[in-house]
Amino acid sequence: MVLGLVAGVLIVAGLIGVVSQVLPGLVVVLAGVAVWAIPRGDALGWWIFGIAAALLVLGTVVKYTVPGKQLKDAGVPGRSLLLGAVLGIVGFFVIPVVGLFLGFVLGVYLAELARLGSSAAAWPSTKHALRAVGWSIVIELAAALLMTAAWIVGLVLA
């Protein structure tokens, strides 16, 4: 019972982490599932943990490939994304919670402004970057919710 409560708290913290991007949400959700599943030591616990781990891997792969493909298809070059990533990391420490997003978008905008020479030309790439960030969060949240659903099924079946 206590382990189930601790697992639930970790899972909720992971879901909040996915939305806020402050915590590595999928990893925290998996940790919550592990707190419940591993001490059980039975097949059900290991199956639920395995499903949650597979969803973490799948969610992580899709989280990076789908938005990345969208950005590539939109013509946003890799160096713009690199500058966006660097400024996103800086922004994360300068402005907690939202700094990662703001830094990424600002980095893409500045790189595209330097490459294309005008704000009007740089803005479409920036909008694609914003859309990609949004899709990344949605994909990660879907994976976290599926992991949570697997844990709830495990609770019901236990």
Side-chain angles (χ1 to χ4, degrees), residues 42-86:
D42 63 357
L44 176 65
W46 284 109
W47 270 103
I48 297 300
F49 179 75
I51 290 167
L55 287 167
L56 178 141
V57 170
L58 180 65
T60 301
V61 168
V62 173
K63 169 186 163 179
Y64 289 110
T65 56
V66 169
K69 182 177 179 341
Q70 289 174 345
L71 287 170
K72 186 176 267 190
D73 290 348
V76 180
R79 14 173 231 272
S80 294
L81 298 177
L82 180 61
L83 183 60
V86 168

Side-chain angles (χ1 to χ4, degrees), residues 31-154:
V33 172
V35 163
W36 172 81
I38 293 173
R40 291 178 55 87
D42 63 357
L44 176 65
W46 284 109
W47 270 103
I48 297 300
F49 179 75
I51 290 167
L55 287 167
L56 178 141
V57 170
L58 180 65
T60 301
V61 168
V62 173
K63 169 186 163 179
Y64 289 110
T65 56
V66 169
K69 182 177 179 341
Q70 289 174 345
L71 287 170
K72 186 176 267 190
D73 290 348
V76 180
R79 14 173 231 272
S80 294
L81 298 177
L82 180 61
L83 183 60
V86 168
L87 284 183
I89 292 168
V90 171
F92 176 78
F93 293 105
V94 173
I95 307 169
V97 181
V98 296
L100 179 65
F101 305 117
L102 294 175
F104 176 74
V105 173
L106 179 65
V108 170
Y109 175 76
L110 292 175
E112 290 297 279
L113 182 63
R115 181 175 76 93
L116 300 171
S118 76
S119 180
W123 184 240
S125 296
T126 306
K127 288 194 298 189
H128 286 292
L130 279 167
R131 197 171 300 123
V133 167
W135 273 113
S136 175
I137 293 170
V138 167
I139 292 165
E140 188 175 359
L141 181 59
L145 289 171
L146 287 171
M147 292 166 69
T148 302
W151 173 67
I152 291 170
V153 167

